[in-house]
Amino acid sequence: MRFRVPIVLVLTASAVLLALWQWRGWRVELTPAAAATALAGSALATLLVPLFTYLPPGGLAVASTLLVAGPLLCAALLWAGERRAVPAALLALLLYAVVSAVAVLTDRAPHIDVWVTLQQASDGLARGQDIYAMTWTGSPGIQDAITYLPVTAVLLAPGRWLGGDVRWALLVWSVVAAAGAWLLAARLPRGRAAHGSTTGPRWVAAAVVAVVLLPPGTLTQVDQAWT
């Protein structure tokens, strides 16, 4: 595994900042400007950074266009405040679902051991096999081990059983996770939001859903079945 030096430096700096944030107890507020900046940055990263994906040109063009235009539209809706919160969250959910479907339907067999492992582990579970004692056929990487905790295969297996591809279950569980984030954030106390702020609990919930579902690399995560 080789990483470019700038990537290592950025990740190291991010880890240091996260540690300082936790140690110092800095407060970070999710404001319209912060949410819009995060989503606009995601769109810019998708536009400028080469994606690690095996989608054919047509599918890649569709997915990339959605992941550039979509986050920008979500950012605009969140910038408008509380009255556009629900549409922003629904748009993020729709974008994630459509991009995921495009990835699964246009790249039927991604050239990565993760997908092969999860597909064949799902088949093994259906036969009652020990997935840690299986070997993988046609894997471009690891061939004789599963590198994940068992719940990963268990949660994604229904996608293979019902739809032929574990990535369908990955789509479903990602949406479930976003819905859970919405429910948790929507229950936050109102605080200053009760005095005319445009960032009440419902707005915060919508912003969390959009940021969780549309970060840079969304297409790579879905296409490669990265969990």
Side-chain angles (χ1 to χ4, degrees), residues 109-113 115-117 120 135-143:
H111 187 71
I112 188 167
D113 54 3
W115 180 80
V116 173
T117 296
Q120 295 179 22
T135 56
W136 319 118
T137 302
S139 172
I142 294 174
Q143 298 179 359

CSV table of all heavy atoms in Angstrom, one decimal, residues 109-113 115-117 120 135-143:
chain,number,residue,atom,x,y,z
A,109,ALA,N,-19.4,-6.0,-12.1
A,109,ALA,CA,-18.4,-6.8,-11.4
A,109,ALA,C,-17.1,-6.0,-11.2
A,109,ALA,O,-16.2,-6.1,-11.9
A,109,ALA,CB,-18.1,-8.1,-12.2
A,110,PRO,N,-17.1,-5.1,-10.2
A,110,PRO,CA,-16.0,-4.2,-9.9
A,110,PRO,C,-14.7,-5.1,-9.7
A,110,PRO,O,-14.8,-6.1,-9.0
A,110,PRO,CB,-16.4,-3.4,-8.7
A,110,PRO,CG,-17.5,-4.2,-8.1
A,110,PRO,CD,-18.2,-4.9,-9.2
A,111,HIS,N,-13.6,-4.6,-10.2
A,111,HIS,CA,-12.4,-5.4,-10.1
A,111,HIS,C,-11.7,-5.1,-8.8
A,111,HIS,O,-10.7,-4.3,-8.7
A,111,HIS,CB,-11.4,-5.0,-11.3
A,111,HIS,CG,-10.2,-5.8,-11.4
A,111,HIS,ND1,-10.2,-7.1,-11.8
A,111,HIS,CD2,-8.9,-5.5,-11.2
A,111,HIS,CE1,-9.0,-7.6,-11.8
A,111,HIS,NE2,-8.2,-6.6,-11.4
A,112,ILE,N,-12.2,-5.6,-7.7
A,112,ILE,CA,-11.7,-5.4,-6.4
A,112,ILE,C,-12.0,-6.6,-5.5
A,112,ILE,O,-13.1,-7.2,-5.6
A,112,ILE,CB,-12.2,-4.1,-5.8
A,112,ILE,CG1,-11.4,-3.8,-4.5
A,112,ILE,CG2,-13.7,-4.1,-5.6
A,112,ILE,CD1,-11.6,-2.4,-4.0
A,113,ASP,N,-11.1,-7.0,-4.7
A,113,ASP,CA,-11.3,-8.2,-3.8
A,113,ASP,C,-12.4,-8.0,-2.8
A,113,ASP,O,-13.0,-8.9,-2.4
A,113,ASP,CB,-10.0,-8.6,-3.2
A,113,ASP,CG,-9.3,-7.5,-2.4
A,113,ASP,OD1,-9.9,-6.4,-2.3
A,113,ASP,OD2,-8.2,-7.8,-1.8
A,115,TRP,N,-15.4,-6.6,-3.1
A,115,TRP,CA,-16.7,-7.0,-3.7
A,115,TRP,C,-16.8,-8.5,-3.9
A,115,TRP,O,-17.8,-9.2,-3.5
A,115,TRP,CB,-16.9,-6.3,-5.0
A,115,TRP,CG,-18.2,-6.7,-5.7
A,115,TRP,CD1,-19.4,-6.2,-5.4
A,115,TRP,CD2,-18.4,-7.6,-6.8
A,115,TRP,NE1,-20.4,-6.7,-6.2
A,115,TRP,CE2,-19.8,-7.6,-7.1
A,115,TRP,CE3,-17.5,-8.4,-7.5
A,115,TRP,CZ2,-20.3,-8.5,-8.1
A,115,TRP,CZ3,-18.0,-9.3,-8.5
A,115,TRP,CH2,-19.4,-9.3,-8.8
A,116,VAL,N,-15.7,-9.1,-4.4
A,116,VAL,CA,-15.7,-10.6,-4.6
A,116,VAL,C,-15.8,-11.3,-3.2
A,116,VAL,O,-16.6,-12.2,-3.1
A,116,VAL,CB,-14.3,-11.0,-5.3
A,116,VAL,CG1,-14.2,-12.5,-5.3
A,116,VAL,CG2,-14.2,-10.4,-6.7
A,117,THR,N,-15.1,-10.8,-2.2
A,117,THR,CA,-15.2,-11.4,-0.9
A,117,THR,C,-16.6,-11.4,-0.3
A,117,THR,O,-17.1,-12.4,0.1
A,117,THR,CB,-14.2,-10.7,0.1
A,117,THR,OG1,-12.9,-10.8,-0.4
A,117,THR,CG2,-14.4,-11.2,1.5
A,120,GLN,N,-19.1,-13.7,-2.4
A,120,GLN,CA,-19.0,-15.1,-2.1
A,120,GLN,C,-19.2,-15.5,-0.7
A,120,GLN,O,-19.7,-16.6,-0.4
A,120,GLN,CB,-17.6,-15.6,-2.7
A,120,GLN,CG,-17.5,-15.4,-4.2
A,120,GLN,CD,-16.2,-15.8,-4.7
A,120,GLN,OE1,-15.4,-16.6,-4.1
A,120,GLN,NE2,-15.8,-15.3,-5.9
A,135,THR,N,-12.2,-19.8,0.5
A,135,THR,CA,-11.3,-19.1,-0.4
A,135,THR,C,-12.1,-18.5,-1.5
A,135,THR,O,-13.3,-19.0,-1.8
A,135,THR,CB,-10.3,-20.1,-1.0
A,135,THR,OG1,-11.0,-21.2,-1.7
A,135,THR,CG2,-9.4,-20.7,0.0
A,136,TRP,N,-11.6,-17.5,-2.1
A,136,TRP,CA,-12.4,-16.7,-3.1
A,136,TRP,C,-12.0,-17.0,-4.5
A,136,TRP,O,-10.8,-17.0,-4.8
A,136,TRP,CB,-12.2,-15.2,-2.8
A,136,TRP,CG,-12.3,-14.9,-1.3
A,136,TRP,CD1,-11.3,-14.4,-0.6
A,136,TRP,CD2,-13.3,-15.2,-0.4
A,136,TRP,NE1,-11.7,-14.3,0.8
A,136,TRP,CE2,-12.9,-14.8,0.9
A,136,TRP,CE3,-14.6,-15.7,-0.5
A,136,TRP,CZ2,-13.7,-14.9,2.0
A,136,TRP,CZ3,-15.4,-15.9,0.6
A,136,TRP,CH2,-15.0,-15.4,1.8
A,137,THR,N,-12.9,-17.2,-5.4
A,137,THR,CA,-12.7,-17.5,-6.8
A,137,THR,C,-12.7,-16.2,-7.6
A,137,THR,O,-13.6,-15.5,-7.5
A,137,THR,CB,-13.7,-18.5,-7.3
A,137,THR,OG1,-13.7,-19.7,-6.5
A,137,THR,CG2,-13.4,-18.8,-8.8
A,138,GLY,N,-11.6,-16.0,-8.4
A,138,GLY,CA,-11.6,-14.8,-9.2
A,138,GLY,C,-11.3,-13.5,-8.5
A,138,GLY,O,-11.4,-12.4,-9.1
A,139,SER,N,-10.8,-13.6,-7.3
A,139,SER,CA,-10.4,-12.3,-6.6
A,139,SER,C,-9.1,-11.7,-7.1
A,139,SER,O,-8.1,-12.4,-7.3
A,139,SER,CB,-10.3,-12.6,-5.1
A,139,SER,OG,-9.8,-11.5,-4.4
A,140,PRO,N,-9.1,-10.4,-7.4
A,140,PRO,CA,-7.9,-9.8,-7.9
A,140,PRO,C,-6.9,-9.5,-6.8
A,140,PRO,O,-5.8,-9.0,-7.1
A,140,PRO,CB,-8.4,-8.5,-8.6
A,140,PRO,CG,-9.7,-8.2,-7.8
A,140,PRO,CD,-10.3,-9.5,-7.4
A,141,GLY,N,-7.3,-9.8,-5.6
A,141,GLY,CA,-6.4,-9.5,-4.4
A,141,GLY,C,-6.4,-10.6,-3.5
A,141,GLY,O,-6.0,-11.7,-3.8
A,142,ILE,N,-6.9,-10.4,-2.3
A,142,ILE,CA,-6.9,-11.4,-1.2
A,142,ILE,C,-7.8,-12.6,-1.7
A,142,ILE,O,-8.9,-12.4,-2.2
A,142,ILE,CB,-7.4,-10.9,0.1
A,142,ILE,CG1,-6.4,-9.8,0.6
A,142,ILE,CG2,-7.6,-12.0,1.1
A,142,ILE,CD1,-6.9,-9.1,1.9
A,143,GLN,N,-7.3,-13.8,-1.5
A,143,GLN,CA,-8.0,-15.0,-2.0
A,143,GLN,C,-8.3,-16.0,-0.9
A,143,GLN,O,-9.2,-16.9,-1.2
A,143,GLN,CB,-7.2,-15.7,-3.1
A,143,GLN,CG,-6.9,-14.8,-4.3
A,143,GLN,CD,-6.1,-15.5,-5.4
A,143,GLN,OE1,-5.7,-16.6,-5.3
A,143,GLN,NE2,-5.8,-14.7,-6.5
